[in-house]
């Protein structure tokens, strides 16, 4: 962690070595062999954490170890101790690897340096919050107690103080935890810290940087086999993943002391403001727009509060003001109606001309050239007159092209479709989703090699806010905005029912024919069923009519039977009436003549005459009774006719 050395020849050599190693495939035996490598592991915030048995290990160096192992197949055995302890072990050959050593001339020959560094860092002087008498002026360090870790950084600090004729008391610590403890307790006025360390010092302020250096993953002297394998692995890593180191730094060092210790300018701005007034460009999703209620939406609505939260200054509020036109937003920034504008872009020259600085890019996206299918020319550009960023981009990168202004990006796209312009541009985060709209189906896109940043704009001279925004963006990381943009890209296109039908006409046509065929089959089936039902109903009607006729005949027969029965009943009644009279006459005669016979019992002749009359009347009565019995037998069907002779 000390002064740089010239590494270009070594890097070129490493690149050639990488190409050579790349061409050699490992044999199965080599692939299976795993070399056990002893690693010195010391506690260092962010860089190496978990320096004890059973602890979860994290950090920049730890992840770098694992990446190297992907290329070498090494299996690690961790040896714990303070930095001074493990450094001594490296010199004595008790460990094989140690991360984080800066190159020093006096170390050559006693440790093995690989050809490529594992990272680069700056060295910062850090003061306590409120110690405003310690400034970036080296003279303000005179007489101060400055703590520094026993490392190459101590030598850099000594050279810095000596070069500026500063007399200060330097206290060297063997371990970071003692250094941090004494600084936090106030025993030290200033702490020399790696720019990538001390992320938990919330009440510290960076004074200035006093040096920088590359640092290495060093190998114990005598382990040339490990050093050769490390060189090959680093060369392959640089060739296959050239952005790996940058990504690793962004992952771990966004919370460094430089990220968390506010500068004097930042603190002054925060003390003078209780809210950030954010101006944003409307109709520019996923970056910014207003929702149906007029509230800010898009990346800007999440980004600013998350910046303040990440920096631990949630007490500062956020207000938003939307602008239909980019120039109006920039003018509002110049009139101090807003504190920052988002998004701005188009290049630093135009930002300077407009009187504002651009922040660290929120998104650095490619710009897409949009043109008609089969026709890719760049002579005439359609440009949205409300988006000056597009105008600046075209003017900078295609200075010979003719620019035609249109009131919206939709009009620009239709101008390209209709042939009024050769092409237009769309920001990379917007292009694919906008072109999903079916009305732009005749357009194609081609990625431009020239990228266009989208940043916050802060008026020139507003140093505190610009640093605050840059610090927050650094803490959130470079992938933050792209990772949340998906929440808002859906608003860039509308896909309705008619779009779906138009895009799937063959499917819908087939479906319609199938439905029509099914309907026809259903109607035919229904017609056959209806015809059958009509026939069944006609047959039922005929059956009912026949039944009714039979019923009528039955009713007529019944009526006739009832009439006959009625007549028979009447005949019986008449017969009985007549018969009662006929029976009464002989009966009266029998009774009368019997009485006379009793009266003339002494007159034999008279009595016999009376008895003869009684006998005649009895015979007459018996004949009547037999007639009644014969009638009864005839009605009951029990009358039997026996032929016999009759005296005519």
């Amino acid at each position: 962690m000390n002064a740089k050395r010239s590494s270009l020849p070594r890097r070129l050599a490493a690149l050639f070595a990488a190409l050579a190693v790349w061409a050699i495939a490992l044999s199965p035996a080599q692939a299976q062999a795993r070399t056990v490598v002893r690693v010195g592991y010391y506690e260092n915030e962010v860089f190496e954490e978990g320096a004890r048995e059973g602890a979860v290990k994290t950090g920049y160096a730890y992840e770098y170890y694992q990446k190297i192992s992907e290329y070498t197949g090494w299996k690690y055995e961790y040896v714990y101790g303070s930095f001074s302890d493990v450094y001594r072990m490296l010199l004595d050959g008790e460990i094989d690897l140690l991360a984080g050593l800066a190159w020093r001339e006096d170390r050559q020959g006693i440790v093995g340096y690989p050809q490529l560094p594992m990272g680069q860092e700056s060295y910062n002087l850090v003061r306590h919050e409120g110690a405003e008498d310690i400034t970036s002026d080296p003279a303000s360090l005179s007489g101060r107690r400055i703590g520094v870790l026993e490392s190459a950084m101590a030598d850099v600090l000594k050279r810095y103080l000596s070069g500026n004729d500063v007399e200060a008391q330097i206290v060297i610590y063997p371990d970071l935890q003692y250094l941090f403890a004494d600084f936090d307790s106030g025993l030290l006025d200033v702490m020399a810290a790696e720019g990538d360390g001390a992320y938990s010092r919330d009440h510290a302020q960076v004074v200035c940087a006093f040096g920088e250096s590359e640092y290495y993953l060093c190998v114990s002297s005598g382990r040339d086999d490990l050093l050769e394998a490390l060189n090959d692995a680093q060369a392959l890593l640089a060739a296959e993943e050239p952005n790996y180191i940058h990504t690793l730094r962004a992952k771990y060092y966004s919370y460094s002391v430089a990220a968390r210790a506010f500068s004097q300018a930042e603190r002054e701005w925060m003390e003078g403001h209780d809210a950030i007034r954010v101006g944003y460009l409307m109709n520019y999703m996923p970056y910014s727009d207003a929702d149906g209620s007029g509230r800010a939406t898009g990346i800007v609505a999440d980004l600013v509060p998350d910046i303040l939260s990440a920096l631990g200054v949630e007490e500062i509020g956020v207000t938003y003001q939307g602008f239909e036109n980019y120039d109006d937003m920039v003018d509002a920034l110049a009139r101090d109606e807003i504190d920052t504008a988002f998004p701005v872009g188009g290049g630093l020259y135009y930002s300077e001309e407009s009187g504002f600085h651009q922040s660290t890019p929120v998104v650095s996206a490619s710009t897409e050239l949009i043109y008609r299918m089969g026709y890719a020319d760049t002579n005439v550009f359609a440009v949205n007159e409300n988006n000056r960023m597009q105008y600046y981009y075209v003017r900078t990168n295609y200075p010979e092209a003719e620019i035609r202004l249109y009131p919206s990006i939709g009009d620009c796209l239709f101008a390209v479709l209709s042939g009024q312009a050769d092409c237009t541009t769309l920001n990379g985060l917007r292009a694919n989703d906008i072109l999903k709209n079916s009305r732009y189906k005749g357009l194609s896109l081609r990625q431009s090699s020239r990228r266009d940043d989208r940043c916050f704009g802060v008026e020139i001279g507003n140093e505190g806010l610009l640093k605050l925004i840059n610090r927050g963006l650094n803490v959130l990381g470079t992938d933050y905005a792209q990772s949340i943009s998906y929440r808002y890209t859906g608003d860039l296109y509308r896909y309705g029912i008619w779009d779906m039908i138009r895009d799937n006409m063959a499917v819908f046509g087939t479906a319609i024919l199938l439905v029509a065929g099914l309907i026809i089959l259903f109607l035919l089936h229904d017609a056959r069923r209806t015809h059958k039902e009509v026939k069944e109903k006609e047959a039922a009607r005929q059956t009912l009519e026949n039944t009714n006729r039979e019923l009528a005949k039955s009713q007529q027969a019944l009526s006739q039977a009832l009439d006959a029965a009625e007549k028979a009943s009447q005949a019986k009644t008449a017969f009985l009436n007549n018969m009662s009279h006929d029976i009464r006459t002989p009966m009266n005669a029998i009774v009368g003549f019997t009485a006379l016979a009793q009266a003339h019992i002494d007159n034999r002749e008279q009595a016999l005459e009376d008895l003869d009359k009684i006998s005649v009347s009895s015979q007459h009565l018996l004949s009547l009774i037999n007639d009644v019995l014969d009638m009864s037998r005839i009605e009951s069907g029990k009358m039997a006719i026996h032929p016999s002779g009759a005296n005519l």
Side-chain angles (χ1 to χ4, degrees):
M1 299 182 181
N2 214 342
K4 286 184 180 179
R5 60 173 175 171
S6 176
S7 58
L8 181 58
R10 292 186 179 85
R11 293 185 180 183
L12 291 175
L15 181 58
F16 286 119
L19 295 175
V21 173
W22 212 344
I24 301 174
L26 292 175
S27 68
Q30 288 174 314
Q32 293 177 0
R34 297 200 66 187
T35 303
V36 177
V37 177
R38 298 166 299 173
V39 176
Y41 204 87
Y42 58 96
E43 192 71 30
N44 187 336
E45 288 179 317
V46 179
F47 190 69
E48 280 185 354
E49 298 191 60
R52 62 187 183 279
E53 200 67 45
V56 176
K57 294 174 177 57
T58 60
Y60 182 100
Y62 178 74
E63 192 161 329
Y64 191 80
Y65 287 139
Q66 306 311 307
K67 176 58 70 172
I68 293 299
S69 178
E70 293 178 15
Y71 290 90
T72 61
W74 288 343
K75 179 179 176 60
Y76 296 120
E77 176 185 311
Y78 297 101
V79 180
Y80 306 110
S82 66
F83 175 79
S84 57
D85 291 337
V86 294
Y87 179 66
R88 178 191 54 77
M89 293 179 189
L90 182 71
L91 298 180
D92 294 342
E94 298 175 11
I95 60 173
D96 302 313
L97 292 180
L98 183 61
L101 291 181
W103 185 87
R104 287 197 338 198
E105 190 173 352
D106 60 342
R107 285 177 177 164
Q108 274 198 323
I110 61 174
V111 297
Y113 283 97
Q115 294 172 342
L116 296 177
M118 65 179 293
Q120 183 177 1
E121 67 183 354
S122 62
Y123 299 142
N124 295 321
L125 292 176
V126 181
R127 72 183 185 191
H128 294 285
E129 182 180 13
E132 299 180 3
D133 54 337
I134 300 176
T135 67
S136 58
D137 182 2
S140 64
L141 300 173
S142 296
R144 309 289 185 177
R145 281 174 57 87
I146 304 175
V148 62
L149 183 68
E150 183 182 8
S151 62
M153 182 166 46
D155 296 333
V156 176
L157 177 63
K158 291 175 182 178
R159 287 197 298 270
Y160 173 77
L161 295 176
S162 175
N164 288 282
D165 297 324
V166 174
E167 294 290 337
Q169 182 181 354
I170 298 177
V171 183
I172 298 178
Y173 289 83
D175 195 273
L176 280 173
Q177 69 181 77
Y178 301 118
L179 172 61
F180 290 157
D182 283 359
F183 178 77
D184 291 341
S185 63
L187 294 178
L188 296 174
D189 299 311
V190 178
M191 174 178 65
E194 299 166 356
D196 299 332
Y199 71 99
S200 61
R201 310 273 82 74
D202 289 334
H203 299 289
Q205 294 178 337
V206 174
V207 177
C208 64
F210 65 89
E212 63 179 8
S213 70
E214 294 175 333
Y215 52 91
Y216 295 80
L217 176 59
C218 290
V219 182
S220 177
S221 179
R223 293 303 308 266
D224 292 340
D225 58 328
L226 298 183
L227 184 59
E228 182 179 359
L230 177 59
N231 280 328
D232 292 342
Q234 287 183 321
L236 284 172
L237 177 61
E240 295 177 0
E241 300 182 58
N243 295 320
Y244 177 75
I245 296 298
H246 174 75
T247 303
L248 199 60
R249 284 185 58 88
K251 178 178 179 179
Y252 284 101
Y253 294 150
S254 59
Y255 290 98
S256 68
V257 63
R260 296 298 298 272
F262 297 119
S263 67
Q264 183 63 29
E266 291 170 279
R267 293 186 178 279
E268 289 177 356
W269 190 91
M270 288 188 291
E271 290 170 0
H273 298 80
D274 57 5
I276 295 180
R277 299 170 297 168
V278 180
Y280 64 90
L281 186 62
M282 297 176 66
N283 304 312
Y284 200 64
M285 293 295 272
Y287 294 98
S288 55
D289 199 0
D291 62 17
S293 302
R295 293 187 296 267
T297 186
I299 292 174
V300 68
D302 295 327
L303 181 59
V304 180
D306 286 351
I307 285 176
L308 298 175
S309 176
L311 296 178
V313 288
E314 293 93 336
E315 66 273 9
I316 294 181
V318 184
T319 62
Y320 293 96
Q321 182 177 347
F323 294 88
E324 296 282 352
N325 184 281
Y326 182 87
D327 291 336
D328 293 341
M329 180 174 69
V330 172
D331 290 343
L333 183 64
R335 294 193 301 269
D336 196 32
E337 295 176 4
I338 56 176
D339 298 314
T340 184
F342 180 82
V344 298
L348 295 177
Y349 171 75
Y350 291 106
S351 297
E352 181 187 12
E353 290 291 301
S354 300
F356 64 84
H357 288 302
Q358 290 186 14
S359 71
T360 298
V362 174
V363 174
S364 183
S366 61
T367 295
E368 309 288 349
L369 286 174
I370 312 301
Y371 55 93
R372 293 192 308 284
M373 288 185 179
Y375 185 81
D377 206 344
T378 57
N379 294 322
V380 180
F381 275 83
V383 171
N384 181 1
E385 63 186 14
N386 292 309
N387 185 355
R388 187 65 66 174
M389 291 182 290
Q390 185 185 18
Y391 176 87
Y392 292 152
Y393 178 85
V394 175
R395 180 57 64 218
T396 299
N397 296 291
Y398 302 91
E400 303 300 323
E402 178 186 348
I403 294 177
R404 295 178 183 173
L405 299 178
Y406 295 88
S408 70
I409 192 62
D411 292 314
C412 293
L413 294 171
F414 278 118
V416 176
L417 274 173
S418 63
Q420 299 175 39
D422 297 330
C423 61
T424 187
T425 63
L426 284 172
N427 181 265
L429 285 190
R430 291 162 45 83
N432 287 326
D433 291 288
I434 289 177
L435 294 186
K436 287 180 183 178
N437 290 281
S438 58
R439 58 183 176 273
Y440 303 135
K441 224 169 187 180
L443 297 176
S444 297
L445 60 83
R446 185 182 73 210
Q447 189 177 89
S448 170
S449 59
R450 304 173 180 92
R451 302 179 73 82
D452 196 14
D453 298 335
R454 293 293 176 263
C455 312
F456 282 95
V458 178
E459 189 177 10
I460 294 176
N462 193 349
E463 175 190 358
L465 179 58
L466 181 62
K467 287 185 175 180
L468 197 67
I469 292 175
N470 284 339
R471 186 184 302 278
L473 293 173
N474 182 49
V475 171
L476 292 178
T478 55
D479 296 331
Y480 171 86
Q482 288 190 342
S483 67
I484 67 170
S485 63
Y486 73 92
R487 303 177 190 173
Y488 306 104
T489 52
D491 294 331
L492 292 174
Y493 69 95
R494 297 288 183 272
Y495 197 73
I497 184 65
W498 291 114
D499 295 319
M500 184 173 62
I501 292 173
R502 189 164 47 244
D503 292 343
N504 301 277
M505 185 62 71
V507 175
F508 279 101
T510 303
I512 290 171
L513 290 176
L514 287 174
V515 172
L518 291 174
I519 292 173
I520 291 171
L521 290 175
F522 176 77
L523 292 174
L524 290 174
H525 174 73
D526 191 56
R528 286 195 294 268
R529 186 178 64 183
T530 302
H531 180 66
K532 182 179 178 181
E533 289 176 352
V534 169
K535 291 178 67 177
E536 290 175 350
K537 288 180 180 179
E538 180 64 23
R541 187 182 64 79
Q542 291 292 340
T543 301
L544 182 60
E545 288 180 356
N546 294 335
T547 302
N548 288 336
R549 282 194 295 269
E550 294 297 327
L551 182 59
K553 290 178 181 179
S554 299
Q555 288 176 343
Q556 184 178 5
L558 179 60
S559 178
Q560 291 173 352
L562 289 175
D563 289 342
E566 181 67 23
K567 291 177 180 178
S569 177
Q570 291 174 357
K572 285 181 181 181
T573 301
F575 172 75
L576 290 175
N577 288 336
N578 293 331
M579 189 61 67
S580 64
H581 290 291
D582 290 340
I583 291 174
R584 189 180 294 114
T585 300
M587 281 298 294
N588 288 334
I590 291 170
V591 173
F593 286 120
T594 300
L596 288 175
Q598 288 174 344
H600 296 92
I601 193 64
D602 293 334
N603 186 347
R604 177 175 172 75
E605 293 180 2
Q606 184 65 41
L608 287 174
E609 184 180 356
D610 291 337
L611 287 172
D612 287 336
K613 293 180 180 177
I614 290 171
S615 176
V616 172
S617 295
S618 296
Q619 289 296 326
H620 183 204
L621 178 60
L622 179 61
S623 176
L624 291 173
I625 291 172
N626 285 334
D627 289 341
V628 172
L629 289 173
D630 289 341
M631 287 293 293
S632 175
R633 288 191 183 100
I634 291 171
E635 285 188 351
S636 62
K638 295 180 180 180
M639 180 66 179
I641 301 175
H642 300 283
S644 62
N647 187 358
L648 298 176

